[in-house]
Amino acid sequence: NTMLHFGASTPIRYSNLLNLKKGWEVYSNRGVGGIDGVLSTAVGAANSTDKLVCLVLGDLSFCYDSNGLWNKYIPENLRIIVINNEGGNIFRIIPGPEKSGYLEEFFETQQYVNIDHLAGAYNLGYYLCDDQEGLESQLEGFLSQKGPSIMEVCTSGERSAKALTEYFNFNRTILKQELKR
């Protein structure tokens, strides 16, 4: 009984790693620049249903569209999970930018916004996780609590990109082996 929304770029790629339960509705949208409108779309979806609406998006998408929370119609069934790797982590995953010599300066767009302050400004609940233990201990309460809220999951952009790239490379290797059979 959940509508799951994924942000553009890395979060939708992460969704491929999940074993989603039957009955979950999965959505994702991509704006002109990729990240615009992701948060606003989830807010609109949450206003159209009684189901829990959970949005998983990156820190840049969240910051870019945070004005989507600037209205009086933020529904009680909205949960927002922000993967905060301090900027455009997708550029560490796709081929090209890392070889340019300008990855951090021009591609990543590091941000230093206090997401907890934005949650407070919009009167939303706020949870912070910076390790797996914190995520596991807070996730159920975050999803089941009353009222809209944000969970900020802080992670290393370099480690996240490396883990995802290694996972995809492992799958490519397995697939190639299977195709040779």
Side-chain angles (χ1 to χ4, degrees), residues 54-100:
C54 185
L55 169 64
V56 180
L57 77 168
D59 53 316
L60 289 184
S61 294
F62 176 80
C63 292
Y64 189 86
D65 197 26
S66 62
N67 277 343
L69 298 171
W70 186 32
N71 70 74
K72 63 182 180 179
Y73 303 108
I74 304 300
E76 298 287 310
N77 60 333
L78 179 66
R79 304 295 180 279
I80 302 165
I81 298 175
V82 179
I83 302 171
N84 188 347
N85 52 30
E86 296 180 340
N89 195 241
I90 188 65
F91 296 108
R92 290 185 179 271
I93 298 167
I94 61 175
E98 75 280 357
K99 294 176 185 170
S100 71

Side-chain angles (χ1 to χ4, degrees), residues 153-171:
V153 179
C154 297
T155 183
S156 159
E158 289 179 31
R159 275 198 331 240
S160 297
K162 183 178 179 196
L164 188 60
T165 301
E166 288 174 357
Y167 177 80
F168 286 141
N169 288 340
F170 172 77
N171 281 338

